[in-house]
């Protein structure tokens, strides 16, 4: 390449990088994130999405295997999503470069002649591991310019406890940083104020609560306990089964809240993930499964949408206040889960930087008390 041309291209690339801010240093990489619902990728249709400020193009091969690539051709940067997909390869719409969907390896550059020495199979578009679980396409995101760990576990699966069950999915976007979305997700004190509903509770039902928490790998657990007496659905379940109702709630890095409700042979299982899209936008992906024969999917979705809408409206209002960079505070004990989250995240980042085992902020079981 002519040296003058090389200098111009380098200058343009530097200017582009300066105009686009670096990825949020608080993002947690090398984890699985739900990219989109499985139903959105059909046939040879390419779908775009964004995770951790990385644009992705997602599709499904003719064998039914989902794939995810960075939505940028390594030649001139045009989004690959504008191209054509034949079930095996993605063809760039600009110069026809073709990439194997399963590996993102280049398989053809039409403009090359027999005299060219470029080894096509050494050219790659960005590629990310991709799996389907519970009706979602999950993508394992590694930081731009880095390699994935040698061993990658499977994408998370929603725990279920019988062969037959009902399942449904809900989602909403929050105009906030992922950290605010996560600590809102695990906050135990906002319920009577944000989730006031005729079928749930009101602020007049506030009373003292005491729960035990315990450390788990990369997270913490609200140990099995009887659910709140001021929540009508739990009381209905107890009357129907004649047995004790217990709830267990886990938080696991980077972004998952798992809840399990059991009463005899009846169970309800849910997972909420707060997925970072950009530093100022995240998305709640909620999936629930149950064998409660008396709870039809449409009825649950109606209640679930009400809850998510209430959370979303609150986060929109919070985002308005956060624009002015106010000083914030966390209190004990109601905010202790938020403190644990920030400590877990900081300890993980430090362990990766130093190459040492991650320190857990909890040394053992802890009892927390608050009113809600």
């Amino acid at each position: 390449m002519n040296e003058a041309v090389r200098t111009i291209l380098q200058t343009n690339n530097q200017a582009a990088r300066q105009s686009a801010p670096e990825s949020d240093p608080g993002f947690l990489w090398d984890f699985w994130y739900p990219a989109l619902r499985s139903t959105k990728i059909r046939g040879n249709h390419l779908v775009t999405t964004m995770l951790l400020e990385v644009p992705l193009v997602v599709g499904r091969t003719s064998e039914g295997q989902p794939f995810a690539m960075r939505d940028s051709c390594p030649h001139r940067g045009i989004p690959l999503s504008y191209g054509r997909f034949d079930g095996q390869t993605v063809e760039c719409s600009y110069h026809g470069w073709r990439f194997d969907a399963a590996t993102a390896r280049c398989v053809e550059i039409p403009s090359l002649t027999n005299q060219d020495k470029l080894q096509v199979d050494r050219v790659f578009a960005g590629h990310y591991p991709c799996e389907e679980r519970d009706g979602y396409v999950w993508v394992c995101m590694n930081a731009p310019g880095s390699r994935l760990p040698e061993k990658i576990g499977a994408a998370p699966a929603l725990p279920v406890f019988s062969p037959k069950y009902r399942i449904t999915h809900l989602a909403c976007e929050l105009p906030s940083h992922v950290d605010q979305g996560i600590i809102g997700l695990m906050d135990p004190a906002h319920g009577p104020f944000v989730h006031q509903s005729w079928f749930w509770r009101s602020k007049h039902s506030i009373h003292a609560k005491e729960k035990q928490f315990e450390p788990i790998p990369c997270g913490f657990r609200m140990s099995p306990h009887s659910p709140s007496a001021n929540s009508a659905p739990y009381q209905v379940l107890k009357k129907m089964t004649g047995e004790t109702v217990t709830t267990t709630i886990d938080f696991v890095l980077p972004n998952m809240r798992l809840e399990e409700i059991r009463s005899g042979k009846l169970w309800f299982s849910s997972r909420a993930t707060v997925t970072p899209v950009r530093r100022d936008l995240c998305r709640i992906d909620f999936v629930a499964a149950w064998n409660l024969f008396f709870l039809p999917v449409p009825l649950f979705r109606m209640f679930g949408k009400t809850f998510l809408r209430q959370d979303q409206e609150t986060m929109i209002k919070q985002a308005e206040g956060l624009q002015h960079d106010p000083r914030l505070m966390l209190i004990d004990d109601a905010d202790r889960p938020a403190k644990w989250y920030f400590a877990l995240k900081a300890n993980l980042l430090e362990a990766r930087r130093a190459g040492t085992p991650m320190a857990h902020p909890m040394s053992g079981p802890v009892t927390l008390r608050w009113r809600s």
Side-chain angles (χ1 to χ4, degrees):
M1 179 186 299
N2 182 282
E3 190 60 33
V5 174
R6 186 191 305 275
T7 301
I8 291 172
L9 289 176
Q10 289 176 344
T11 302
N12 289 344
N13 289 339
Q14 290 170 359
R17 286 194 295 269
Q18 290 170 358
S19 64
E22 295 293 326
S23 293
D24 188 322
F27 286 160
L28 291 180
W29 302 93
D30 300 338
F31 281 104
W32 290 97
Y33 291 93
L36 44 76
R37 288 292 313 282
S38 300
T39 52
K40 290 190 176 181
I41 50 171
R42 298 178 179 179
N44 293 344
H45 184 54
L46 296 173
V47 181
T48 59
T49 189
M50 180 175 287
L51 293 177
L52 288 76
E53 299 187 341
V54 176
L56 300 175
V57 57
V58 182
R60 192 186 299 277
T61 67
S62 53
E63 291 78 25
Q65 180 64 36
F67 66 89
M69 301 167 61
R70 187 179 181 93
D71 194 16
S72 177
C73 180
H75 179 210
R76 299 283 184 86
I78 189 171
L80 290 170
S81 54
Y82 287 125
R84 290 167 287 278
F85 177 54
D86 62 6
Q88 298 295 327
T89 60
V90 176
E91 181 183 279
C92 178
S93 63
Y94 197 177
H95 294 89
W97 289 29
R98 292 196 302 121
F99 300 89
D100 177 68
T103 64
R105 183 190 297 271
C106 187
V107 296
E108 182 183 3
I109 298 178
S111 62
L112 292 181
T113 68
N114 294 334
Q115 297 178 348
D116 288 300
K117 297 180 180 180
L118 177 64
Q119 293 180 279
V120 173
D121 60 358
R122 291 190 177 184
V123 177
F124 287 85
H127 172 257
Y128 299 89
C130 199
E131 292 185 8
E132 253 180 302
R133 290 282 189 282
D134 308 319
Y136 293 99
V137 173
W138 291 77
V139 178
C140 189
M141 297 296 296
N142 60 301
S146 71
R147 291 186 178 183
L148 281 166
E150 293 184 3
K151 293 183 179 180
I152 305 174
L158 177 70
V160 295
F161 307 100
S162 63
K164 295 183 179 181
Y165 54 86
R166 294 169 175 168
I167 189 168
T168 193
H169 308 77
L170 295 168
C172 74
E173 290 188 337
L174 307 177
S176 67
H177 188 275
V178 64
D179 285 346
Q180 294 295 337
I182 287 176
I183 65 173
L185 187 73
M186 65 178 66
D187 173 29
H190 73 276
F193 302 93
V194 174
H195 298 301
Q196 294 182 34
S197 302
W198 65 265
F199 60 85
W200 192 245
R201 62 183 68 162
S202 74
K203 63 181 179 181
H204 302 295
S205 67
I206 293 177
H207 62 280
K209 295 183 179 180
E210 179 179 298
K211 307 294 182 186
Q212 187 175 67
F213 291 77
E214 57 190 282
I216 59 176
C218 287
F220 52 86
R221 169 174 295 157
M222 184 187 291
S223 306
H225 60 280
S226 297
S228 300
N230 59 345
S231 297
Y234 296 135
Q235 302 310 311
V236 171
L237 180 59
K238 182 178 181 179
K239 289 181 180 180
M240 294 192 66
T241 63
E243 300 191 44
T244 301
V245 180
T246 61
T247 299
T248 306
I249 300 175
D250 290 356
F251 173 78
V252 183
L253 287 178
N255 61 348
M256 287 193 298
R257 180 189 186 275
L258 297 147
E259 183 168 3
E260 174 189 330
I261 302 171
R262 305 291 291 267
S263 183
K265 294 182 179 180
L266 299 182
W267 58 268
F268 177 93
S269 177
S270 68
R271 180 189 64 223
T273 57
V274 183
T275 300
V277 179
R278 301 189 310 262
R279 68 191 65 195
D280 61 346
L281 178 68
C282 58
R283 185 183 69 245
I284 294 180
D285 290 299
F286 178 85
V287 56
W290 63 89
N291 71 342
L292 312 177
F293 62 89
F294 55 86
L295 180 58
V297 170
L299 181 62
F300 176 81
R301 288 182 62 83
M302 181 183 70
F303 293 149
K305 286 180 178 179
T306 298
F307 270 69
L308 284 183
R309 184 176 64 253
Q310 290 167 340
D311 281 326
Q312 184 182 46
E313 290 172 351
T314 299
M315 298 300 288
I316 290 172
K317 295 173 183 176
Q318 183 189 37
E320 180 181 337
L322 292 177
Q323 289 178 356
H324 307 289
D325 195 24
R327 296 183 67 180
L328 306 177
M329 60 185 294
L330 296 175
I331 63 174
D332 278 341
D333 279 353
D335 286 336
R336 189 81 66 84
K339 293 182 179 181
W340 286 334
Y341 162 69
F342 286 119
L344 282 164
K345 184 175 178 179
N347 292 356
L348 174 65
L349 292 171
E350 174 59 22
R352 287 180 172 179
R353 185 197 66 79
T356 57
M358 173 183 155
H360 201 291
M362 300 175 67
S363 59
V366 176
T367 298
L368 300 184
R369 299 171 180 85
W370 66 88
R371 286 171 52 82
S372 71

